[in-house]
Every structure is written in C-alpha cells, then in structure tokens.
Amino acid sequence: MDFSLSSEQKEYQELALKFAKNEMIPNAAKFDESGEFPKEIFEKAWQAGLLNTCVPVEYGGAGFSNLDAVLIGECLAYGCMGMNSSMMANDLALLPIVIAGTAEQKKKFLTPFTEKFLLASFCLTEPENGSDAAGIKTSIVDKGDHYEVNGNKMWITNGGYADLYVVYGTKDASLKNKGISCVVVPKGTAGIEIGKKEDKLGHRASDTRAITFNKVKVPKENLLGKEGEGWQIAMKTLDHSRPLVAASAVGGAQRAMDLAVKYALERKQFGKSISEFQAVQFMLAEMGMRTEASRMLVYQAAWMADQKIRNTKVASIAKAMASDGLMQTATDAVQIYGGYGYSKEYPIEKIFRDAKLLQIYEGTSQIQRMVIARELLRSN
Amino acid sequence: MKNIFVLVKQVPDTETKIIPKADGSYVEVTNIKWIMNPYDEFAVEQSLLIKTAFPECNVTVVRVGTVSDNECLRTAMAMGADDAILVESEGLIDSFTTAKAIKGAIEKSGRTPDLILSGKQAIDDDALQVPQLLAGLMNLPSVSVVVGFEVAGNVVKLKREVEGGSIEIYELNAPLVVACNKGLNTPRYASLPGIMKAKKKPLAQYKLSDVGVSASDTKVKYHGFQLPPEKPAGKKFDAMDDAKAGAIVKDVVGLLRNEAKVI
Ligand SMILES: Cc1cc2nc3c(=O)[nH]c(=O)nc-3n(C[C@H](O)[C@H](O)[C@H](O)COP(=O)(O)OP(=O)(O)OC[C@H]3O[C@@H](n4cnc5c(N)ncnc54)[C@H](O)[C@@H]3O)c2cc1C
C-alpha cells in the first residue's frame, strides 16, 4: 500500500489549484450572481490543459488516468463547484466515446476537443425519467440509412453551448435498459431545440437546459457501440464519472472547511477567538474527518477504475459519502460564520447552495444507497 | 536573438506565515510552500513571447538554490523554457555570491547570452540587486522595472517605470540584462501537457565550486532574524465636539512631534 502521489500528480494538483485560486475564486461570486456563462475562464482552463482529461494520447489528449482526473477535478471544484460542473460535463460527455467509440469515431469526435476549446453535453435525464433512467422514452429509431431521434431531455449541462450531444434513447421503451442506444449528435443538426437556461439555486455559472430532439437525423456511423448497448455504456461511464463528481464534493468541502477554520480563528466573541470554543472545534474536527475519509474513498474508486477492477460499489460509496459529507460541512461552515455566513458578502453562502446539487446529480444519494445495498446483497 | 537566459528564484508562497529560527540564523523553511518568484514569471513569459517571434531562440532558466525544492525550474520548463541550470547552494547566500554563481553557470553552458531576463526583485528578501550585480560582473548594460518590451533584430526597446508614474524609454543593443516588472505581460499557466514535456527537458546541475564561487566571495553575513515588533494599538481622538476640536488638534500635533517624532 502506497499513499503517495507521483511528482507529476503533485504538479497537476498544484497547477489546478493555482488556476482555481487565480481565475475561479476571484470570479465565482460574480458569475453566481449574474448567472452568466464564464466562457473565457473555461477557455483559459482548456489552454492550461485542465479540460477533457479523459481523451487518450492517440487522439491528441493527455490520456490521464481516472486518478489524475479526480486530483485535478478536486482542485477545480475548490475554485468553484458551479464552474466545475460545466468543466466536468465535458468529460462526462466524452467518456462514452472513449469507452465505446471506434478508432474512427474517436478521431472524429475527440480530437477536435484537443485542438480548440469546445463543450459537450451528456443527455440521459428526461422530464419524467431522472433516477429511473432505464425507463427513458426518447426514441432512437433505425430509418434505413440513418437514425431518427425524438424526445425531450432535461437538466442538460452545457446544453446551450455544446458542440456535440451524446444522446441516449430507446428503440422500444418497454425493453427498458435492453432497448437503449447511444448516439453522437453534432451541434446544429436540424431538429435540436434548445430550451431556456434554468434559473437555479446553485451552480449558477453552469449552463443547464432542456433539449428537445425533434425528428433529428443522425448518421448511422454516429452510433456508439451496437444498438441496445447504450445502457452498458452509460453504466461504464458512471464508473468513471462518479469518482469525478465525488472528487468535486471533496474539493467543495475542503474549501468550506478552509474558510471555516480561517473565520473561526479571526472571529472573537466573549473576549476570545471562537476557535477556542469546543463546540466550534468539534464542528471543524468533523469536517476534517468527513473530508479526509471521502477523499480516500474517491482515490480508491478512481484507482480501481484505472486498474480495471469493478468499482461500482466503492464509487457509489464515495459519491454518497462525499456529497452528503459536503452538505453537512457546508451547513456547519455557515453555522461557524453565524449571521455573516447567511450573507452574500461572504463566500460560504454560495458554497452552501452549490453543495446541494452534489447529492442530486449523477445519481441521488438515495440511488447511491440502492446501488451499495444491491452490491452488498449480491455478494452473499 | 539566439540565447535567452532567465533567472528564477524559488520564494515562499505569499500566504506563508514566516517564523524566524530559534537561533535567529534564518527562518524556518520546513513547512514553507514554495512558488516561483512572481516577478520572475514576467521574465519567463517575456522570454517565451520572444521565442514565439524568433523560434530559433533557446530559453534557459537558471536558478541558484537547494536541490530538494526545485519546482520553479520545472514550472518554467512546463511553461515552455527549453532547458534549465541549477547551481546547488544550501541555506542563505548573498546577492553577490548569487550573481557570481549565475555568471559562472551561464559561461559553463557554452552559449553566449543575447538577453538575460529576471524579475525586478524577489519577494522574499527584496534585495533588488542580483540583475544589476550580474550585469556589472558580465560588463553588460542593465535596465530594471521594465514594463514594455520590443525586440527588432539586435535592438531592444524597453519601457521603464520611474517614480511618479512616468515612463523612460530605452533603446539598447543586445546583449543586456533586463529586470521585469508587473504589467509587462500576463504569465501563462504551465499546461498539463507542458508539465509532462518538462520531465524530458535537460536540467544541468552544478556545485558552487564548479561555477567559480568560493567562500571568500561572501560579502554579507546574516543573523538575528526576527519578526517586526507588533504595532501598538492606535490612539483615538474624539473631535466630534466642535468646542473641544481646537484642544485635540493641539494634543495630536504635540504627540506627533514629541512622541512619534514624525513632524
Ligand atoms: C443542475 C443539474 C445538472 C444536471 N446535469 C445533467 C446532465 O448534464 N445530463 C443528464 O443526463 N442529467 C443531468 N442532471 C439530471 C440529474 O442527474 C437528475 O436530476 C437526477 O438523476 C435525479 O433525477 P430527478 O431530478 O428526475 O429526480 P427523481 O428521480 O424524480 O427523484 C426525486 C426524489 O426521489 C428519490 N427517489 C427516486 N427513485 C427512488 C427510489 N427508487 N428509491 C428511493 N428514492 C428514490 C430521489 O432520490 C429524489 O430524492 C442534472 C441535474 C441538475 C439539477
């Protein structure tokens, strides 16, 4: 057992953290308030090689391991969880291509992302199917020389800016997960209708929209894997992306904790620093316990993905622990700030709002528990 | 423009809490997070901008310091510098020794410098001496606090900030030493692919004795490091009551003259 990171990994972390501190933290409140899309910041992140870390070397990417990606993602979320949602969504959308694409598809769809700054969307969720993703109703039907996509997608991150959409649909909803296929739909294809930007509680810098596919014609060569393999592709994607989401929860928690520690040392009541009160110390100690334990789980889940060891259970444990832990840590951090924590003048208020989403997307905390329980029961 | 040398120093992160050593010989370094001196980032960036315009240019970063914390040379190479030289030294050394070591290292590289760039100062000791001393030792002209930079053939046109916000304009022939200030450019990030490439770039390592420096070069002895005394609490004067204002002004003037001795 060796817990040390390589010198390269430390350098990636350092670069990502520097980027978070210089570019993201100073701008986080502004984009949260306005809800504008911080495209310039993302473009700078792309220039520094911080985006699309999953693209293999053969296709112009850095070919980072899942562990590298979570180390970087954690630092970016430290800067702003909202911006990181958009950045992470690119990997979420490109991963199915990395996992199931042919060499030709990878060259066609992945390489452009290494040549210029582009965004992508992963389109699984629908208005009536969130947790029950296997029940999606969007249809992908064989029309002889092409596929036709029809249906509504909901909560699509980067939806208004995506250069390509990775879309899941079914040839027959009654087949449930066995009927699902996955296609790449390039931007500008006739019939893509982009909804208005959602006005959200948190992650306001990220762009989230409903996307409707109305008789969208997709070339046959844009099918990833085979017909009916979409569900497997989505599950494999989640094994890689859940550690990423969990890592962003760890980054957010680390930031909340750092802020709480700093504030506790500065604030005086009853003639002493509030950091001297045991009630405050215990809140800080528990932040440390949760954050450190979650981080280890995230590293383990990512490491397992890299070793090609089935990580479904650990990835779900990491995702649930890290995001529930983040919510508690953010709540307590606001508590330590007292009234000032409730004000937009201080950064913790936004982190508190951003934290909530981590318990919802990429499988809610309840769904993670279902996966964990299923895995536990299965092995007996 | 063929050979550019850029001087970089590793300094404590600006957020570091500095603690003097118990014996006052220096500060505690074990828990310090090191970064590239921020002014040196402008120098590295400038060298890379020049390299973009003159692709045949070779950029070498030079540092005098300990081996264990050599990240800033790696960072400079990850940003795009071609190679690096480290002159190993332990503990604190003075500006003259540093300048002499750098001169020796540049000579040892076998390349004749066309341009030597550095930050205008290092944010740890704020000595503001190395570039000028190096220029003196190498018999080159030098310009500091530079905020504008143009290269045309062998001629370098510089803008230098002087007190009061005016700008001086210099036109010199290379080779020369230029110390860069904030505002000259926006330093790029070392990209992740750059970090990977940097691993394969050459890093030459010399001892002080290899570059012609000996103990007798030391001009400054350091001792008695301590934190500045804590500021005593300020005094407040309530002059809201017009009737008392005259007396209070008199009081304040008296204190400024006799106690603070500033007027
Ligand atoms: C800001 C944002 C960005 C998003 N980005 C994307 C994206 O880019 N691409 C994409 O495809 N999706 C995206 N999503 C969708 C996200 O993954 C879903 O919102 C999530 O999976 C939950 O689905 P739902 O919202 O329909 O909730 P529901 O599934 O309706 O769940 C409602 C509640 O019921 C609980 N519940 C549901 N089923 C069960 C069960 N069987 N047992 C116990 N409890 C249950 C849930 O835990 C939850 O508490 C995003 C969502 C948001 C809010």
Side-chain angles (χ1 to χ4, degrees), chain A residues 15 18, chain B residues 8 36 40-48 61 72-82 185-191 194-195 198 201:
Chain A
L15 167 64
K18 184 173 174 184
Chain B
V8 295
M36 185 192 297
D40 299 349
E41 288 192 17
F42 302 116
V44 173
E45 177 64 29
Q46 197 58 40
S47 74
L48 299 175
V61 277
C72 71
L73 286 183
R74 290 275 166 219
T75 305
M77 288 195 284
M79 286 167 78
D82 297 290
N185 52 43
T186 309
R188 68 195 66 189
Y189 286 94
S191 72
I195 290 174
K201 292 182 175 175

Side-chain angles (χ1 to χ4, degrees), chain A residues 345-360:
Chain A
E345 286 288 310
Y346 290 82
I348 198 66
E349 176 266 352
K350 168 183 176 294
I351 293 171
F352 176 74
R353 285 185 284 109
D354 285 350
K356 191 64 211 169
L357 181 61
L358 279 287
Q359 292 179 302
I360 297 173

